[in-house]
Amino acid sequence: MSTEVPARAETKAAATHLMPGRESADRKQITQGRWASVLLAPTIILLAVVIVYPVVNAVVMSFQKDAGLDPTTGFFVQGGFAGFDNYTHWLAQQCNGAACPPGTLGAQFWSAMGTTFLFTLVTVVLETVLGFWMAIIMARAFRGRSAIRAAVLVPWAIPTAVTAKLFVFVFAFEGIVNKLFGSQILWTGSEWPAKWAIIISDVWKTTPFMALLILAGLQLIPDEVYEAAKVDGASTWQRFTQITLPLVKPALMVAILFRTLDVLRMYDLPAIMTGGANNTTTLSILVVDQIREGFNSAGAVSTLTFLTVFLVAFIFVRFLGANAVGAATSSGKK
């Protein structure tokens, strides 16, 4: 036992003597790691103040009562601890122990949730299909390709509020759509026309964003792969399903994830085009409207919205492969 320890020490000393650069490299790596931590600390602190604190504060507020009149005594009270009352108010649509009357904010939670997911499902599907089609066209070599790519991005570059006001005029009763098709539809005055007007507006604006992200993935596919497939006799459909889709999947899933999370937080388009009327209220509109009546109850519905968005993001990253960092790491290892 006594001879084994000196033997190990001698071996370590010999290894250090034979590889003097390794010790200095390890010391340099440790020093760089410390400097990286020091340089990143201000950014991490800033993100904690800007992102973490509002989220934690909203959760804390969601367990407090809003100041108002006590229904039992009729006196004004400052609030206090509410437990899960704010959450049951939204999830069970209960107002003061009874069902919330139709038209009140408490009675709109599940309809707002359904409207939000309807917008998300329809717009993301349409934008993915149209964006993929546009990306395939823009990936080809032809004269004026750069000008086409720049022109396609114009709708995405327009602010959402401007797009919403533009489509208010497009879908007006005397607007372009009714004049063009000879129809007399109150697009923003009834439920389903209003929903489709919002969907069309969102698809027009954000399809270029999807096309841009998918185009970035298409440009990473080598031309030699397609040439080899053509030599083997693969048809156009086979090249699309066996080469294009599998290789562009990481970029495609990240694009779908970004758009899904964006639509789940949709506020500008329905707020400006319909004001949330005709069952076009989304979760974000519900949060903003509730802020005018009580911050603590709004904190509860905003927390539920955050959990919904987080759950969808977790499903995409964990089960659907929308992990940009993991995809980049695996491709780098290859």
Side-chain angles (χ1 to χ4, degrees):
M1 186 72 182
S2 60
T3 60
E4 184 178 356
V5 176
R8 291 181 179 176
E10 292 176 359
T11 303
K12 183 177 180 180
T16 305
H17 177 71
L18 294 175
M19 294 184 296
R22 180 173 181 178
E23 184 177 358
S24 60
D26 293 341
R27 188 178 300 132
K28 182 179 180 181
Q29 185 176 5
I30 294 173
T31 304
Q32 289 178 344
R34 291 174 179 173
W35 270 109
S37 301
V38 172
L39 295 175
L40 288 175
T43 302
I44 295 175
I45 295 173
L46 180 62
L47 290 176
V49 173
V50 175
I51 298 176
V52 178
Y53 172 74
V55 172
V56 174
N57 190 43
V59 174
V60 173
M61 291 173 58
S62 67
F63 291 98
Q64 303 295 321
K65 293 181 181 179
D66 289 317
L69 295 177
D70 188 342
T72 57
T73 62
F75 292 103
F76 185 85
V77 293
Q78 290 296 330
F81 183 70
F84 289 94
D85 290 347
N86 289 329
Y87 290 96
T88 57
H89 166 69
W90 295 108
L91 295 175
Q93 300 186 156
Q94 295 290 318
C95 298
N96 298 324
C100 294
T104 59
L105 294 178
Q108 299 181 39
F109 177 78
W110 289 111
S111 62
M113 178 76 76
T115 300
T116 302
F117 274 94
L118 174 67
F119 287 158
T120 302
L121 178 63
V122 178
T123 56
V124 171
V125 169
L126 292 176
E127 290 165 8
T128 302
V129 174
L130 294 175
F132 212 126
W133 173 65
M134 293 168 61
I136 291 176
I137 294 177
M138 290 188 294
R140 298 174 180 175
F142 58 89
R143 182 178 298 178
R145 182 175 63 175
S146 299
I148 294 296
R149 290 180 178 180
V152 164
L153 292 177
V154 170
W156 181 53
I158 298 176
T160 306
V162 177
T163 301
K165 294 300 293 184
L166 170 66
F167 277 91
V168 166
F169 294 108
V170 171
F171 287 105
F173 186 74
E174 298 291 339
I176 298 174
V177 175
N178 281 344
K179 292 291 185 181
L180 184 63
F181 295 100
S183 58
Q184 295 182 343
I185 301 176
L186 292 173
W187 286 97
T188 58
S190 49
E191 180 178 351
W192 283 106
K195 288 181 177 179
W196 278 110
I198 295 171
I199 290 171
I200 294 171
S201 305
D202 188 70
V203 170
W204 179 84
K205 175 176 173 53
T206 52
T207 296
F209 173 76
M210 293 288 289
L212 181 65
L213 294 181
I214 297 172
L215 177 62
L218 289 176
Q219 291 181 330
L220 296 177
I221 303 176
D223 294 334
E224 292 79 5
V225 178
Y226 290 106
E227 294 175 359
K230 290 180 180 179
V231 172
D232 292 337
S235 63
T236 303
W237 178 251
Q238 289 174 332
R239 294 197 300 270
F240 177 76
T241 56
Q242 302 299 323
I243 297 176
T244 304
L245 280 181
L247 294 181
V248 83
K249 180 182 176 182
L252 178 63
M253 294 308 301
V254 171
I256 294 175
L257 172 62
F258 284 171
R259 278 304 303 145
T260 300
L261 300 184
D262 199 21
V263 182
L264 286 174
R265 298 178 287 108
M266 180 188 289
Y267 174 79
D268 295 2
L269 278 175
I272 296 175
M273 293 182 66
T274 64
N278 300 309
N279 200 18
T280 58
T281 298
T282 61
L283 289 175
S284 295
I285 293 178
L286 197 64
V287 173
V288 174
D289 290 344
Q290 180 58 41
I291 288 176
R292 301 187 182 98
E293 298 188 6
F295 284 98
N296 296 328
S297 185
V301 68
S302 64
T303 302
L304 292 173
T305 304
F306 168 76
L307 293 176
T308 302
V309 174
F310 177 81
L311 179 61
V312 172
F314 176 78
I315 293 174
F316 267 87
V317 174
R318 181 65 179 84
F319 299 105
L320 300 180
N323 189 348
V325 177
T329 303
S330 60
S331 62
K333 290 181 179 179
K334 292 179 182 179

